[in-house]
Amino acid sequence: MTAESRPKSPEAGASARALAPPPVLYGFLLLLALMFAVSYAVGSVAGPVAPGMSGSSDTGVEAPGNGGGDGGGSGGQDMDMGGMG
């Protein structure tokens, strides 16, 4: 008997292929990771989008609305208007 005359079992290779994820999934995950890495790099180069958003500021100045002694409910509306009325 030669190798060509033996019938190949379709079940042997099919069960291994059924358990493996499709190759397109690997490509999608690679593309997703690449897009995340690029967006993270661009964001770190651009820096914070507004003053005071870095979170590691040691200036001692608190943003209004953070509960930093503004009376609790005033929201910082009359912080600098001391003698106006």
Side-chain angles (χ1 to χ4, degrees), residues 14-63:
S15 64
R17 278 183 273 148
L19 295 177
V24 175
L25 181 63
Y26 292 127
F28 174 73
L29 291 177
L30 180 67
L31 182 65
L32 189 66
L34 181 67
M35 292 299 290
F36 176 77
V38 168
S39 66
Y40 184 82
V42 169
S44 65
V45 167
V49 295
M53 286 190 67
S54 63
S56 62
S57 175
D58 292 336
T59 61
V61 177
E62 293 190 20

